[in-house]
Amino acid sequence: TVASLKALRADELRNFHAKHYVARNAVLAITGAIDRAQAEQVAAQVLGALPAGEPAGELPVPPSPAGGSFHVRFDSQQT
């Protein structure tokens, strides 16, 4: 909400970032012409640049949306 955004403080955002944007919370996806050894080297380099940190806690299950779900047809291809 607008009110919740206005209530945020810069130090709260910095603390959240420092706590959650860490190697133990990272998911790294690598695609392309790269073998496993190269991928492991890239992963070590990328994740090694992050603080190790602690894993984030479990997220609460969000409530189901009111009114169920709906599908919007979008005639295109994803490549």
Side-chain angles (χ1 to χ4, degrees), residues 4-40:
S4 66
L5 288 175
K6 287 182 179 181
L8 285 175
R9 296 188 329 261
D11 62 319
E12 291 173 322
L13 294 175
R14 281 190 289 273
N15 290 339
F16 180 88
H17 185 272
K19 181 176 180 180
H20 296 285
Y21 285 73
V22 297
R24 287 199 176 103
N25 289 329
V27 175
L28 183 63
I30 300 173
T31 63
I34 186 170
D35 63 29
R36 183 177 182 98
Q38 292 170 312
E40 288 176 353

Side-chain angles (χ1 to χ4, degrees), residues 54-70:
E54 293 299 322
E58 291 289 322
L59 294 173
V61 176
S64 296
S69 63
F70 62 95

